[in-house]
Each structure stands twice: as C-alpha cells, then as structure tokens.
Amino acid sequence: MYNYQAYTCPIESELEFPEFLPVNGNNTHGPPITIRYGDVPAELENPTGRGVLYQATANQFLLKMDGIAHYLVRNGNEIIVQLAESSLESDVRVFLLGSCLGALLHQRGVLVLHASGIGTQKGAFLYTGPSGIGKSTLLGELLRRGHRMLVDDVCAVTPDVSGYPIVQPAYPRTRLWADTARKLTLETAGLERTRPEMEKYERQIPDQFWDQPAPLRRIYHLTSNNKDELRLNPLPRIQTFGAVLHNTYRHVFLDGLEMRKPHFDLVSAVASQVGVTRVVRPSGGFKLTELADLIEQDMEAL
C-alpha cells in the first residue's frame, strides 16, 4: 500500500500516484480515502442519475471507461478500480484524478469547482472559466513569477467553523498543452504525457506547492471577446451566485448523487462572502504577460 495526502486527507492506495504528496500527519485533518483494486458492478441498482459513461445514486458513483477501467466511488471515502486488459497506468489515473475524485468530494458535501489557483499570505485566488480559456496557462505564468500553486482542475472549498470558505490544497501537479509550454518557454522533454495520444504533459512542482488550507479571497472568471483589450470587471453581488454555480466541477453528477440542495447552500455561502471578477481578454491573442500583470496588480490591491 502507498500512503499519500491530498485535500488535507490521508489516502491509502494500492495504486501508485506520482501526483500526490507522501502523507504528513501534521497536514492531514480530513477523513481518510481508500483507493483499491476490485470488482466493480456492471450497473448500479436503481440509479437516480445517469449519463453515457456514468451512473449515480446517493452514495455510489459508477464510471465506465471501456478499455481503461471501471470505477466505483462509494460513501465519500472509497474508490474501487477494475482494470481493463492492457490498460495504461497513466490513463487509469487521469479519470480517477478527475471525475472519480470529483464525485468523491461531491459525496462528502464539499463545494467542488473547476478551477486553478494559487495560495498566498492573503489567502487563495482562484481562476475559473470554460475549458480552453487559459486557466492553466495563467497559472503557469504566475508560477513562472514565483507564486505557489494550490490547485489545478478539481478544486475543493469547505467552510471553516465560522462558515467562511476555505480552499483545500490539492496536489503539486499541473498539466500543460504543448502550445502552453511554448508560451511559457518550458521544455517538455522528459515530462510524461497525460495520455499517449495527447500533446498534454504532466508537470510536478512540489517546490512551488502551497500545502496549507487558505481562505478564499477572490475568484477571477476568465472570458474572451473579439476586442483587442484586457479588462477586469468586478461583478455585482447579485451576479456572483451564477458565476460560482456555473463553474461547479461535473455539475451533471449532482442530481444522481442527491447533492443539489447542499450544493446550492455551499454556492450561496461562497457567493455571499467572496468577490468574483470577470476577466475579459482578446479571443485572437492571449496577451499572457499583460494579463498576468493586470491580475497581479489587482490581487495586490485587495
């Protein structure tokens, strides 16, 4: 068995994960997670939600990735993996670290956002937006400037004892498309591909990882338009709920997991206490340096 930590939870796993940090009892406070090999049912009994690749009930989530693995996530504390013949370890980990880990956190009643983010002495700053908008690219530029990563992709937010939202540290891995690596002048030679057929690479950054929970200070929601300008627009409070809601990670799982009402309450708590700023960038060009300058200045002013 391997012993790791992520999201301040101890993880006991039969699968090896180069992405996770070794367990550190001083940094683990949440309930443990077990990841093991085993038989997974072909169907769930009376699923309350389903899609092409998944089924869900209040305490179970089944993901079927034929040719890779079938996964069963149970009770917010266990992931069972049934491997397909000749499956690649990297492929198996991709779906476990994405949809399966996201479903497990949903089962725990955590607010799960699709976001990248950094940790600072002021707190956590998250970057949200649709796939391909540049969340990981912006994170890469901020890392190049010396900032420390808190999360990239599956982001867990929990309330503290007073009800204020806290971002839990994920694990020190970020992913880079080849064109993003070129923008950041990073070499991809020697980096493992996320999947063999993709020009996307796994970058481990343990020395630039913020490993402590951090209060959520601001969410920056990335958008683009056809104008050659960069702009930051703080949203009025009445619009922050929708901005947080629409960046939920795998929100389609919520109905089957019977977590829609708790999720609504979590989104409301974040939207009422944390500001959201819409970031507008040109669709025809990233202007990465100027964008990072603008966001750094805004974070510094908060």
Side-chain angles (χ1 to χ4, degrees):
M1 287 292 244
Y2 300 94
N3 291 287
Y4 301 112
Q5 67 183 48
Y7 304 101
T8 66
C9 297
I11 299 172
E12 188 175 77
S13 176
E14 292 182 354
L15 289 71
E16 186 175 6
F17 285 90
E19 296 86 353
F20 291 153
L21 288 172
V23 70
N24 178 345
N26 294 327
N27 288 343
T28 54
H29 312 290
I33 298 168
T34 300
I35 303 172
R36 64 179 178 86
Y37 296 111
D39 293 331
V40 169
E43 305 285 335
L44 295 184
E45 185 175 350
N46 300 319
T48 47
R50 65 168 66 233
V52 175
L53 301 174
Y54 78 91
Q55 298 175 21
T57 67
N59 58 4
Q60 295 190 94
F61 174 84
L62 172 66
L63 180 69
K64 300 168 70 173
M65 301 302 302
D66 292 338
I68 297 173
H70 289 183
Y71 308 83
L72 181 65
V73 184
R74 301 197 300 194
N75 304 315
N77 58 27
E78 183 181 38
I79 301 175
I80 303 170
V81 183
Q82 182 174 337
L83 297 177
E85 289 187 17
S86 304
S87 59
L88 297 175
E89 290 183 4
S90 57
D91 284 349
V92 173
R93 295 199 311 272
V94 164
F95 296 101
L96 195 151
L97 292 171
S99 293
C100 293
L101 195 51
L104 182 143
L105 292 168
H106 280 308
Q107 288 174 340
R108 290 188 170 199
V110 172
L111 176 60
V112 191
L113 298 178
H114 189 197
S116 298
I118 63 171
T120 75
Q121 294 298 332
K122 289 186 173 184
F125 295 90
L126 297 182
Y127 315 106
T128 65
S131 295
I133 196 66
K135 298 182 293 293
S136 293
T137 304
L138 175 60
L139 175 63
E141 174 62 16
L142 293 172
L143 290 173
R144 191 186 67 79
R145 297 178 180 212
H147 293 280
R148 294 169 65 186
M149 187 189 87
L150 188 61
V151 62
D152 186 18
D153 195 28
V154 182
C155 175
V157 182
T158 59
D160 66 9
V161 292
S162 70
Y164 192 83
I166 305 295
V167 181
Q168 301 298 330
Y171 45 88
R173 186 273 291 143
T174 183
R175 288 176 175 154
L176 296 171
W177 288 100
D179 62 338
T180 298
R182 286 190 290 271
K183 286 187 180 80
L184 299 170
T185 64
L186 290 172
E187 283 290 334
T188 57
L191 296 181
E192 181 184 1
R193 290 192 181 215
T194 301
R195 301 188 68 186
E197 70 274 17
M198 299 170 66
E199 277 199 293
K200 196 173 191 179
Y201 298 89
E202 306 283 299
R203 182 185 176 204
Q204 303 296 129
I205 51 167
D207 294 337
Q208 268 190 277
F209 183 61
W210 189 279
D211 65 354
Q212 299 294 322
L216 180 51
R217 287 300 306 274
R218 177 75 61 167
I219 298 173
Y220 293 92
H221 180 66
L222 276 62
T223 66
S224 63
N225 66 17
N226 57 8
K227 295 182 180 179
D228 187 26
E229 62 177 350
L230 291 170
R231 192 169 69 248
L232 300 185
N233 294 331
L235 295 181
R237 188 65 68 184
I238 195 172
Q239 296 181 24
T240 59
F241 179 88
V244 177
L245 180 69
H246 294 145
N247 286 285
T248 298
Y249 186 84
R250 301 290 193 266
H251 65 88
V252 296
F253 297 168
L254 292 170
D255 287 328
L257 295 170
E258 299 183 22
M259 293 301 297
R260 186 67 67 179
K261 175 60 168 63
H263 176 258
F264 182 94
D265 294 340
L266 289 166
V267 171
S268 297
V270 170
S272 66
Q273 299 180 85
V274 179
V276 178
T277 296
R278 179 179 290 121
V279 181
V280 183
R281 68 166 180 84
S283 54
F286 205 101
K287 291 194 171 181
L288 180 57
T289 301
E290 296 94 326
L291 175 61
D293 287 343
L294 194 62
I295 287 179
E296 274 192 325
Q297 291 164 15
D298 196 72
M299 292 190 300
E300 184 63 30
L302 292 175

